Amino acid sequence: MPTFRAIRIDKADKGTQASYVDFDENELMDGDVTVRVSHSTVNYKDGLAITGASPVVRRFPMIPGIDFAGTVEASDSPAFKAGDAVVLTGFGVGEQHMGGFAQKARVKSSWLVPLPAGLTAAQAMAIGTAGFTAQLALLALEKHGAKPADGPLIVTGAAGGVGSIAVALAKKAGWHVIASTGRPEEGDYLKKIGATEIIARQELSEPGRPLGKERWAAGIDSVGSHTLANVLAQTKYRGAIAACGLAQGMDLPASVAPFILRGVSLLGIDSVQCPMPERHEAWQRLARDLDKDLLASMTRHVPFANTIDIAHDILAGKVRGRVVIDVEQK
Ligand code: NDP
């Protein structure tokens, strides 16, 4: 029986249980492309899946891992052939369809993006769903018409995965970046990757007023809850905020004041079902704009056997920047 190394999540007496296993290839789900996975990464959602903190896994057993990069091993699709380098993020992989914390994945060809020229598989996973989402947020702000001349751009959860890449991309695009973080000790790190100003998380995370002083023209928020409400309340006239996360909470205890009195826009960002043309655009921009040395400076590489530990760390807010899982390294 052909097997490969994987993490498997099973239902347990209380909740779910994640373990390292030798996985039977015949148990992989249907798909027209089989990929030899070389790298994956731990995103916040992977933390939720592995720890069972939130019911993101919809089928059992499940191989978690919402993204991966690797090489096509076999393909029934004319779009890909054996040897092609590919990247996958989202589409319910690692939630409803067996995912990237494994040496092999079988998926639909319509979910795959060719590895963009200029990126290695390891760099693509240093970017991962988090970086891809940060790029989607910046693209959404740009399409809305936001530009650096309008004023500063705030990034919340700045020392996290989405936040770190958002800081670097916004800086590269010419923005004056204000980074909000709960980890003051990461101030030097945030300045190195592109922040001009650092503010304390507590300035935004408590219940606030419906409208405050106008401080920024744009924002990328991966935190939600009171933080997003306060970010909106302090956005300049006709500014725009891209909302992509819920690290503080899924709620949005806000008023309509910023929308109806200042014409502020709230742009929703979803990376999971993002249509293919926008995916290609985002990956091309990432390959072009994200400084590779900067990316390396915000990335830690760990062997496969550390994945479950990192999943716990990310929910505890202990992970800085990005973590790449080297799937081939035990
Ligand atoms: P990380 O854990 O790497 O980053 C989250 C950051 O949020 C932390 O580093 C921390 O930043 C901050 N934070 C954590 N807890 C709190 C809290 N209680 N209150 C305020 N701030 C907090 O996760 P990711 O970057 O991978 O993901 C960030 C968010 O974006 C998650 O909610 C995730 O689900 C979401 N997401 C959404 C996607 C989409 O398609 N819409 C795709 C990818 C991610 P600091 O220490 O600097 O304060």
Side-chain angles (χ1 to χ4, degrees):
M1 144 183 114
T3 64
F4 56 86
R5 215 159 355 108
I7 293 174
R8 193 180 65 212
I9 300 182
D10 294 291
K11 272 223 177 284
D13 286 347
K14 282 186 186 158
T16 59
Q17 172 73 38
S19 32
Y20 297 99
V21 297
D22 285 322
F23 197 90
D24 180 353
E25 190 169 338
N26 297 318
E27 279 188 55
L28 278 176
M29 294 162 73
D30 287 347
D32 53 352
V33 178
T34 304
V35 178
R36 184 83 191 172
V37 177
S38 63
H39 299 84
S40 187
T41 171
V42 182
N43 297 278
Y44 192 86
K45 200 188 258 180
D46 297 314
L48 295 175
I50 284 184
T51 61
S54 181
V56 295
V57 174
R58 300 289 179 189
R59 172 206 192 268
F60 299 93
M62 174 56 59
I63 298 176
I66 63 168
D67 44 19
F68 62 77
T71 307
V72 172
E73 204 173 71
S75 172
D76 292 329
S77 158
F80 295 96
K81 60 179 187 322
D84 286 350
V86 290
V87 183
L88 186 145
T89 66
F91 288 117
V93 167
E95 301 177 67
Q96 297 149 37
H97 190 99
M98 305 282 188
F101 293 151
Q103 291 175 298
K104 256 183 211 199
R106 186 171 300 135
V107 295
K108 289 188 183 171
S109 52
S110 58
W111 298 343
L112 290 167
V113 171
L115 181 71
L119 288 180
T120 64
Q123 286 167 338
M125 282 300 101
I127 294 168
T129 297
F132 174 64
T133 303
Q135 181 67 75
L136 290 179
L138 191 60
L139 282 169
L141 290 168
E142 289 173 355
K143 284 174 186 165
H144 181 78
K147 50 190 186 313
D150 299 338
L153 179 151
I154 183 163
V155 175
T156 60
V162 173
S164 292
I165 296 193
V167 167
L169 290 173
K171 168 75 175 174
K172 170 79 180 175
W175 290 90
H176 171 114
V177 179
I178 301 176
S180 162
T181 183
R183 290 181 272 180
E185 69 277 15
E186 299 299 358
D188 286 346
Y189 162 76
L190 288 166
K191 285 197 168 148
K192 194 174 135 217
I193 64 172
T196 314
E197 281 178 64
I198 316 276
I199 65 170
R201 180 197 290 179
Q202 291 82 346
E203 274 192 44
L204 298 171
S205 59
E206 302 299 323
R209 291 183 301 160
L211 278 182
K213 184 168 172 268
E214 297 179 47
R215 294 172 78 184
W216 33 76
I220 298 177
D221 174 66
S222 59
V223 172
S225 193
H226 291 296
T227 300
L228 177 55
N230 287 319
V231 165
L232 289 166
Q234 295 174 51
T235 300
K236 286 178 176 239
Y237 188 74
R238 291 242 164 165
I241 304 300
C244 60
L246 43 63
Q248 184 180 9
M250 189 135 85
D251 57 332
L252 180 53
S255 86
V256 297
F259 310 124
I260 64 173
L261 298 177
R262 288 191 183 151
V264 167
S265 295
L266 180 57
L267 312 175
I269 305 301
D270 165 58
S271 66
V272 178
Q273 299 296 338
C274 173
M276 259 310 154
E278 223 173 294
R279 277 177 197 265
H280 287 288
E281 184 186 4
W283 278 108
Q284 293 309 322
R285 275 284 295 268
L286 285 159
R288 190 192 77 188
D289 290 352
L290 193 56
D291 183 286
K292 306 301 179 302
D293 292 333
L294 218 48
L295 180 64
S297 76
M298 59 176 91
T299 305
R300 191 154 52 105
H301 290 257
V302 301
F304 188 63
N306 289 22
T307 310
I308 292 177
D309 288 344
I310 302 285
H312 286 270
D313 287 350
I314 200 165
L315 288 199
K318 288 189 198 156
V319 170
R320 181 180 94 177
R322 304 280 304 129
V323 179
V324 170
I325 305 296
D326 186 338
V327 174
E328 293 301 341
Q329 197 191 339
K330 282 191 184 171

